[in-house]
Structures are given as structure tokens and as C-alpha cells.
Amino acid sequence: MTLNPHHDAWDAASDPFGERPRRQVSLCRQIMGGNFRFESASAALLSLVETAYAGLPPHRFPMAVPEFRIELRLLPRRASPPAAEPPPVRMQSGAGLICGVMDASNYVVLAPAQRQALVVASADMLDHPYHLRYELIEFAVFTLATRGLGLVPLHAACVGRQGRGILLLGASGTGKSTLALHSLLHGLDFLAEDAVFVQPDSLLATGVANYLHVRADALRRVDDAEVRRWIGAAPVIRRRSGVEKFEADLRHGGGRLAPAPLALAGAVFVCGETADDPAALLEAVPAAEIASRLCADQPYACGQPGWQHFARRLARQGVHQLRRGRHPRDAVTALCRLLD
């Protein structure tokens, strides 16, 4: 693949909108039940896509597989000195389009009805690969898949076994990532750590199992020295909140990634409190409280199509609160009981 790694040069006077065909390369990947075709004249951007989505299990739903197209365009490096951190993404929508804008040189425009998106980035954003991947490219992938497949998007993690899964819900900092890590280390299938997408009719859940983000202090509870070395050698990313985490590539670890969408057997709200009785970490959420707790935990998803059907079906499966035990493996044991 011989492409310009820096930017797409064109005559701005004769083609101000950059509409003329350019020499591009296509990269196709099956992600979250959809076939995604990424097109770009930039080897650097396609390499970033490959880093994010190569080697994932090819999840499928029991329906026709839709096709999605994402064009990635790299602009020249900006003359002004780059900021230590890219500006936050501002959301806009109208006329059937959805936009996420960092600045005039870094943005994404989506046309969900046409199953297409344009991602534009300046060359200096390549110095911030986490933000470029997570806030622009992944934003396009997740939004197109959600709209094109009719999925409910959740801020959650999910693990399971033998085709059944448990949603891990709760606010940031309650330990969802740590619990997902220990579930993986103790033999459960890993579906996703931060974003889960559910088909409301079937309660089949999918996600992107590429990275696990772990705080340094969580490694103290990891007994396996080899796992500590694997995570400790991973790059460190910095969230918008200022929290720093290791970004460990799950495709190079020793755990098992869910080979297909998981049928949800229930959900747990991960709680930061330690249980008084270490043998009783799980507590059923009263049926009358489930709907309100789910809405409070998922303010964006609860306004999306399919939410009411999803919430009713999940409530019938069972929703629990999970407190901490003496060791994270105790919480994994509790999850396994829900999967039996």
C-alpha cells in the first residue's frame, strides 16, 4: 500500500470542495454485525483503522448484514502549535446529518440514512491517536452501526459464557473495567468494556473487544505476574477527565473474546461499596425500581428508539446490584451464578 502518509493534495481553486476522485485504498472489516468499508488516500489513517479493528471476532445478527462506508481524509498539519490535548468534540445535527466537531480541521459528518460518514483529521492529530480513534473514527462506527442495525447503545461492559452475557452497569469509577478484567482472567468471554450495543427484540449484545483500560492501582489485585507485565507494558492514555489508564490490547492477551453476540441473561449495577457479608454480594433490584434506575444510568440510551422494549425485556431477565468482596474474584463468582 503506497500512499501519501501526510495529506491529500488537491487544487483548492479548481476543486474547492475536494469532490474529484482521488487515488484511494479500501479496507473492509466486519464490526458489530455490519460490513464496514473504510476508504482513504492516507496510509496513516488506514493503519489506525487496522490497529483498532483487525482481529476482532466477526459478530453477526440473525438479519441481512448491512454495508457501511466511511471515508477518511487527512488534511495538512496546521501551522499553529498543537495543543497538549485536542479540543472536545461538539455535537450538531440537522437535515438528516449528525456532526461531531473538534475544530475546522478535525470533525466527522454522518448521514445515517445513507449509511455513510466522512472523517476529517489534520496531520497533527496523528500525534493524538487515542483521541482520533476514539472520538472521531469510533464515533462514526458506533453511530452508523447503532442507527443501521437498530441497536440500543449503552455505556456499559459485558462478559459471559456459552453464548449468555451479563451487562455491567454503573457510573465511571465504580469498577466495571476491573471486574471485566478479572472476568476475562477467570475464563469468562469478554464482549466489551465501555460500550455495549443491544438488539432490543432478541437481547443480543455486541461490542468492540479491542482494548481494556485499566488504572495502575487495579494491578495490585492481579495475582498473575505475567498479566501484570502485559498490562504494565501497554501504552497509557489520558481520559478527558484527567484519569490515566493503561490501554491493553485484548487481542494480544490470553483471554477469550466473545466469538458471537451474547444473549443477555441479566444485568448488574456495579457498586463501589464493600459488602458486609462477603458471601452475599448480589442483591436483586426491586422490580418497581428497575426502569428508573436504568434510565438514570443511561440518560442517552433511554431516549433512543427501542429503549422501552429493551428495558422491559431486561427487567424480566433480572437486574441486581453487585457490591465488592474481599477480592475481585469474589465478584466474578457471583456473576457466574447469574450465568448458570
Side-chain angles (χ1 to χ4, degrees), residues 27 42-54 72 121 125-126 128-134 137 210-211 251:
L27 179 65
S42 165
L45 288 178
L46 290 177
S47 178
L48 195 60
V49 169
E50 185 76 345
T51 299
Y53 300 116
L72 303 110
M125 271 298 290
L126 296 172
H128 303 279
Y130 169 74
H131 292 286
L132 175 52
R133 170 178 56 83
Y134 187 73
I137 298 175
N210 48 10
Y211 299 105
R251 296 158 292 182

Side-chain angles (χ1 to χ4, degrees), residues 28 33-37 64-69 114-116 144:
C28 296
N35 286 333
F36 281 81
R37 185 171 81 253
V65 180
E67 303 277 345
F68 301 98
R69 175 178 174 264
Q114 286 73 46
R115 298 175 177 170
Q116 297 188 76
L144 288 180

Side-chain angles (χ1 to χ4, degrees), residues 66-123:
E67 303 277 345
F68 301 98
R69 175 178 174 264
I70 298 178
E71 181 179 346
L72 303 110
R73 187 172 298 180
L74 196 63
L75 300 182
R77 183 175 290 271
R78 292 171 293 184
S80 58
E85 183 178 79
V89 175
R90 293 164 294 148
M91 304 299 181
Q92 297 285 342
S93 68
L97 302 176
I98 297 173
C99 305
V101 181
M102 284 183 176
D103 55 36
S105 299
N106 297 278
Y107 54 89
V108 55
V109 180
L110 299 101
Q114 286 73 46
R115 298 175 177 170
Q116 297 188 76
L118 171 67
V119 176
V120 176
S122 56

Side-chain angles (χ1 to χ4, degrees), residues 221-287:
R221 309 305 296 273
V222 175
D223 301 327
D224 190 318
E226 184 59 34
V227 172
R228 290 198 302 273
R229 282 193 292 270
W230 163 55
I231 296 176
V236 175
I237 59 94
R238 188 175 186 272
R239 299 279 201 194
R240 291 287 185 181
S241 63
V243 174
E244 293 187 342
K245 294 187 174 186
F246 293 110
E247 186 175 62
D249 195 328
L250 292 165
R251 296 158 292 182
H252 300 152
R256 174 181 161 91
L257 306 184
L262 297 177
L264 293 180
V268 299
F269 286 99
V270 180
C271 177
E273 300 174 2
T274 301
D276 295 330
D277 180 358
L281 305 187
L282 283 172
E283 179 183 359
V285 175

Side-chain angles (χ1 to χ4, degrees), residues 9-67:
W10 82 96
D11 186 344
S14 62
D15 184 21
F17 299 106
E19 296 174 282
R20 291 177 182 169
R22 307 175 195 179
R23 184 166 54 91
Q24 296 197 125
V25 169
S26 293
L27 179 65
C28 296
R29 289 287 174 264
Q30 187 165 322
I31 308 168
M32 296 168 50
N35 286 333
F36 281 81
R37 185 171 81 253
F38 300 90
E39 298 177 346
S40 184
S42 165
L45 288 178
L46 290 177
S47 178
L48 195 60
V49 169
E50 185 76 345
T51 299
Y53 300 116
L56 293 174
H59 286 191
R60 287 182 176 272
F61 288 108
M63 60 173 67
V65 180
E67 303 277 345

Side-chain angles (χ1 to χ4, degrees), residues 309-326:
H309 189 40
F310 158 77
R312 286 194 297 268
R313 294 212 60 200
L314 185 64
R316 288 198 292 268
Q317 295 296 95
V319 178
H320 293 76
Q321 179 165 281
L322 177 67
R323 291 186 172 87
R324 293 183 179 180
R326 294 193 183 98

